[in-house]
Amino acid sequence: MPEFDIQIITSGGHRIPAHSTVLASASSVLESILVRPQKKRSSEKTIRILGVPCDAVSVFVQFLSSFKCTEEQMKKHGIHLLALSHVYLVPQLKQRCTKGLAEQLTIENAVDMLQLARLCDAPDLYLKCLKLISTNFKKTEKTEGWKFLLDHDPQLELEILQFMDEADSRKKRTRRHRREQNLYLQLSEAMDCIEHICTEGCTSVGPCGEEPCTKKLPCSKFKTCQGVQLLIRHFATCKRRVNGGCLRCKRMWQLLRLHSSICDQPDECRVPLCRQFKEKVQRKGDDGLWKSLVEKVVSARALSSLSLPKRKREEEPKMNLHHHQVRSFLTTQCH
């Protein structure tokens, strides 16, 4: 390397020798400073970096030439290095600082780090601070950083509260979506059981038009299949079904209708009323809400088959046909 040709002047008058070519190649801001004519004519070139501890500036200059920074240096000077990397546009150092400071995050320093991340345009660090504050808000409220924020930065306080509100809404939407997907998967499994019962028979209900085999072993989805069999047996003997006064019969009717909407071989299908439902739809059509249900059940069925291996598929949630969510869901779709 050639001899040092520039001096970095820090707070307190300390001087750090450096190479102008190295500084210019690592930072476009420093490059523009170097090409700018000096106000005072002097043979000595200098750049002032003030407001930051001398040791932090020394580490900064060292990084510009080597692109290396130790964990100890990051732990000690990370905050100042992030500010320097932002001011002088050194993306490699900024990325390193963002990662290092994220590892040092605590409830006590989260608010201070959040303010720094916003000032230095460090979105990854900013988001991690928000998540930590949101998760531990009760403890954060007791910190000095939060108390200072309330008095001096109401805009940032509003951003934090908005993030918490949005995060809570996202969690509610996610939980609701998971519950709905679980219901669609359960309905899909019930469709498999109806086809299985009407085609092969199971423990207490035989194939369509035949008596059940007394030696029939439970199938792989017996928990769901047993619920469907109980519905079928009730449906076949219920005296209130004709007048439409039996809720269990209504659920069975809805399951048969759902099967018909999904079935693509009505002429060969052995499930009762499959073809009749198809013909009714051809004459009168289906309402939009029911079409939406059918599409979601079909989609859940396809995704389940593609994403899960056979062994896992057998461990999917079993359908409880008497569960209040399933009952209300089917009734809503019917009406």
Side-chain angles (χ1 to χ4, degrees), residues 239-254:
K239 296 179 180 180
R240 291 189 298 163
R241 181 185 64 187
V242 178
N243 298 325
C246 179
L247 293 177
R248 294 181 68 187
C249 289
K250 284 183 179 180
R251 288 201 293 276
M252 187 66 229
W253 197 264
Q254 291 156 4

Side-chain angles (χ1 to χ4, degrees), residues 19 60 114 120 130 169-170 194 210 214 255 269-270 311 316 330 335:
H19 295 96
F60 175 66
L114 181 66
C120 295
L130 280 176
S169 298
R170 283 195 297 271
I194 288 177
E210 300 178 22
T214 56
L255 289 175
C269 183
R270 299 188 66 183
R311 185 178 63 184
E316 288 176 357
L330 283 171
H335 295 311

Side-chain angles (χ1 to χ4, degrees), residues 3-60:
E3 293 184 1
F4 297 113
D5 59 351
I6 193 167
Q7 296 285 326
I8 306 294
I9 301 177
T10 69
S11 299
H14 296 285
R15 290 170 172 262
I16 302 172
H19 295 96
S20 58
T21 53
V22 172
L23 299 182
S25 63
S27 166
S28 58
V29 176
L30 289 174
E31 181 183 20
S32 64
I33 294 174
L34 289 168
V35 298
R36 187 188 308 161
Q38 292 187 337
K39 294 181 180 180
K40 296 182 180 180
R41 292 186 178 181
S42 173
S43 59
E44 184 183 40
K45 292 183 178 181
T46 60
I47 294 178
R48 294 180 178 273
I49 300 180
L50 309 176
V52 180
C54 177
D55 291 344
V57 179
S58 179
V59 174
F60 175 66

Side-chain angles (χ1 to χ4, degrees), residues 73-166:
Q73 290 172 332
M74 183 57 60
K75 187 175 181 180
K76 189 175 181 180
H77 305 294
I79 292 175
H80 298 108
L81 291 174
L82 177 60
L84 289 169
S85 69
H86 175 67
V87 171
Y88 292 101
L89 298 180
V90 185
Q92 299 93 330
L93 179 58
K94 192 172 189 177
Q95 185 178 13
R96 177 74 176 84
C97 291
T98 298
K99 183 179 179 182
L101 291 174
E103 294 172 354
Q104 299 174 32
L105 265 182
T106 64
I107 295 173
E108 287 296 325
N109 67 17
V111 174
D112 296 329
M113 287 286 195
L114 181 66
Q115 291 175 307
L116 176 68
R118 186 175 66 161
L119 289 170
C120 295
D121 190 24
D124 291 343
L125 180 60
Y126 184 83
L127 182 59
K128 287 184 179 180
C129 292
L130 280 176
K131 288 181 177 179
L132 182 63
I133 292 171
S134 176
T135 306
N136 303 275
F137 188 65
K138 292 293 184 184
K139 294 180 179 179
T140 303
E141 284 184 303
K142 299 176 183 179
T143 64
E144 292 299 320
W146 179 259
K147 294 173 183 176
F148 180 85
L149 179 71
L150 293 179
D151 295 332
H152 298 88
D153 199 341
Q155 179 61 37
L156 185 55
E157 177 196 1
L158 180 61
E159 289 178 20
I160 294 171
L161 296 177
Q162 286 177 337
F163 176 84
M164 292 172 60
D165 183 62
E166 291 170 2

Side-chain angles (χ1 to χ4, degrees), residues 300-320:
R301 198 175 193 181
L303 288 174
S304 176
S305 299
L306 291 173
S307 61
L308 295 175
K310 183 177 180 181
R311 185 178 63 184
K312 290 288 184 182
R313 224 174 288 150
E314 295 175 357
E315 299 172 1
E316 288 176 357
K318 306 301 179 184
M319 183 179 188
N320 181 359

Side-chain angles (χ1 to χ4, degrees), residues 287-307:
D287 60 90
L289 191 60
W290 184 265
K291 287 180 180 179
S292 176
L293 170 66
V294 173
E295 288 174 1
K296 289 174 181 177
V297 172
V298 171
S299 176
R301 198 175 193 181
L303 288 174
S304 176
S305 299
L306 291 173
S307 61

